[in-house]
Amino acid sequence: MTITRFEIVDSTLREGEQFGPAHFTTDDKLSIARGLDAFGVEFIEMTSPLASPQSAADLRAVVAMPRRARVLTHVRCTLDDVARAVDCGVDGVNVLFGTSAWLQNHSHGRSIDAIIEEAVAVVGWVRSQGVEIRFSCEDSFRTDPAELGRVYAAVAAAGVDRVGLADTVGIATPNQVAEVTAQVRAAVTCDIEFHAHDDAGCAVANAFSALDAGATHIDTTILGIGERNGIVPLSAIIARVMTIAPDLVANYHLELLAGLDEMVSSMVGVPVPFNAPITGAHAFSHKAGMHTKAVLSDPGSYEILDPAHFGRTRQIMSGHRLTGWNALRHRAGELGLRFDEDRLRELTIEVKRRADVRPIESAELDDMLRASAAIQ
Ligand code: HCA
Ligand code: CU
């Protein structure tokens, strides 16, 4: 299937608040909301106003902000909860119900028929208020597929704007996500949102699989923060979609991604992961001689994303034992120095010899190059 739509429901201010070390102040929340709005996400999802008095006040503050993104809040699927949400002036509500046997037995104790009855009433009421609504089956991938189909068909018939598939425990595989999403796609005409946890390291792959099978909206958080080890990181799904369908990310302000990651990293006190696509400190560093040679000739040889699109710069590393003479010539060129080929080869041997003992700092390498140029 060709992916034709991709909208972002960023949940840093809901799922992200459920990350162990997270505690956002009102100012933090406003800064995150402003940053996400400037980046261009379509939706900002916030914690339920029923969570605490400050949560309700913060939700109202974000609703009152000048913004283009639509503000959603995430509440239980009850008439009381959605009434509180609507009262805060949100553009939409994201409601959920636990439909797996685990959650039916250990959380709310309701049957599927009772869930459907409540969900249909809630969808009808929210729509009557002119507010949009998404209904999600929590723990979708441990829910009986026939029951899942029955619930979605009922809420779709009641006029829901989106149905949500949630891999709450991070158990789904990409093939399973493709299969279940395709079944839901065939059963409903409304939009489909997908929410993926990363317990088994498949969140981004699963989100992409969902898009490929007809999902339209992906839940993200900045850095991927969320319950346990989190969900789909914003920068990662952008990278994934961009390599396949660049037009679908063309309207986002991609140069703001790294700043968003840094902001949330300092708020929650965890570093930007080294392996974060796009924003990781080494995401555009090239080291081994074979790599640097090819990248210097054409960056596309080892880069599927252009760092310039994200306001980032490519690094060609040259002061280490894996270096090659192309990398050293490149660095020399940046310093305005030129060497003949023999001298470059000698220098490469010397750099490798020194780097075998310990890493060479970039200033030290530059000194070596300058000293070598002086005696040439
Ligand atoms: C939660 C559960 C949730 C909801 C996702 C959704 C999940 O912490 O409330 O509403 O689609 O992972 O199932 O985050
Ligand atoms: Cu979640």
Side-chain angles (χ1 to χ4, degrees):
M1 188 178 211
T2 313
I3 303 173
T4 52
R5 272 184 65 202
F6 169 57
E7 296 196 21
I8 298 173
V9 178
D10 188 275
S11 188
T12 307
L13 294 176
R14 195 281 296 174
E15 177 80 50
E17 257 210 308
Q18 297 175 219
F19 179 52
H23 174 84
F24 297 129
T25 64
T26 304
D27 279 350
D28 288 346
K29 291 189 194 179
L30 288 168
S31 301
I32 290 172
R34 256 185 244 113
L36 288 168
D37 192 52
F39 176 76
V41 301
E42 287 80 3
F43 299 89
I44 295 173
E45 184 185 70
M46 295 194 64
T47 295
S48 164
L50 287 99
S52 72
Q54 193 58 51
S55 302
D58 294 345
L59 175 60
R60 288 180 191 275
V62 171
V63 163
M65 241 178 60
R67 59 186 162 81
R68 276 177 311 172
R70 279 177 275 173
V71 174
L72 310 174
T73 186
H74 188 261
V75 293
R76 289 169 302 192
C77 187
T78 69
L79 287 167
D80 284 350
D81 277 30
V82 292
R84 285 284 294 278
V86 169
D87 184 56
C88 291
V90 292
D91 302 299
V93 291
N94 269 1
V95 301
L96 83 164
F97 227 127
T99 46
S100 67
W102 292 89
L103 296 176
Q104 282 184 64
N105 296 333
H106 300 290
S107 177
H108 51 71
R110 302 280 186 77
S111 69
I112 295 291
D113 283 333
I115 292 172
I116 289 178
E117 197 181 318
E118 180 110 46
V120 166
V122 164
V123 170
W125 185 80
V126 173
R127 296 274 303 184
S128 76
Q129 301 300 302
V131 168
E132 68 179 75
I133 177 161
R134 181 224 65 182
F135 177 90
S136 176
C137 288
E138 192 182 4
D139 211 359
S140 311
F141 293 87
R142 292 194 300 176
T143 299
D144 176 341
E147 307 270 54
L148 203 61
R150 210 150 69 80
V151 177
Y152 288 144
V155 291
V160 84
D161 294 280
R162 290 188 304 287
V163 291
L165 280 165
D167 183 17
T168 306
V169 295
I171 197 173
T173 64
N175 284 345
Q176 190 186 2
V177 170
E179 204 177 303
V180 174
T181 309
Q183 273 165 18
V184 176
R185 184 66 291 164
V188 299
T189 53
C190 64
D191 290 343
I192 301 176
E193 183 172 329
F194 184 77
H195 180 95
H197 277 264
D198 205 31
D199 300 71
C202 277
V204 181
N206 284 343
F208 186 74
S209 208
L211 280 175
D212 212 22
T216 51
H217 294 62
I218 298 296
D219 289 7
T220 63
T221 60
I222 298 169
L223 297 178
I225 58 172
E227 286 281 352
R228 307 183 304 281
N229 74 333
I231 67 162
V232 174
L234 179 61
S235 66
I237 193 70
I238 291 288
R240 181 63 286 173
V241 173
M242 191 165 185
T243 59
I244 309 281
D247 289 355
L248 294 181
V249 299
N251 290 333
Y252 298 117
H253 286 271
L254 301 174
E255 72 285 0
L256 301 179
L257 261 183
L260 288 176
D261 275 14
E262 273 155 31
M263 171 172 70
V264 170
S265 146
S266 69
M267 285 174 185
V268 297
V270 299
V272 176
F274 81 87
N275 58 350
I278 301 170
T279 56
H282 307 286
F284 299 104
S285 296
H286 303 277
K287 185 169 177 185
M290 252 170 50
H291 287 241
T292 51
K293 176 174 189 237
V295 166
L296 286 168
S297 159
D298 181 346
S301 341
Y302 284 103
E303 267 177 14
I304 54 164
L305 296 164
D306 180 352
H309 282 137
F310 311 100
R312 303 222 48 206
T313 46
R314 173 178 309 121
Q315 269 182 288
I316 303 290
M317 299 174 65
S318 34
H320 52 83
R321 61 159 69 117
L322 309 179
T323 199
W325 63 274
N326 283 283
L328 289 172
R329 183 176 55 189
H330 172 74
R331 181 62 193 149
E334 285 180 339
L335 297 173
L337 309 172
R338 301 187 66 132
F339 295 102
D340 61 34
E341 209 173 303
D342 287 348
R343 187 73 198 112
L344 261 179
R345 290 192 190 276
E346 280 165 29
L347 253 170
T348 310
I349 291 167
E350 174 63 8
V351 170
K352 283 172 178 277
R353 194 185 57 75
R354 283 209 210 176
D356 252 349
V357 182
R358 57 172 177 77
I360 302 178
E361 297 292 323
S362 47
E364 184 183 349
L365 178 73
D366 291 352
D367 286 348
M368 274 177 81
L369 292 170
R370 286 198 192 93
S372 183
I375 58 166
Q376 207 175 201

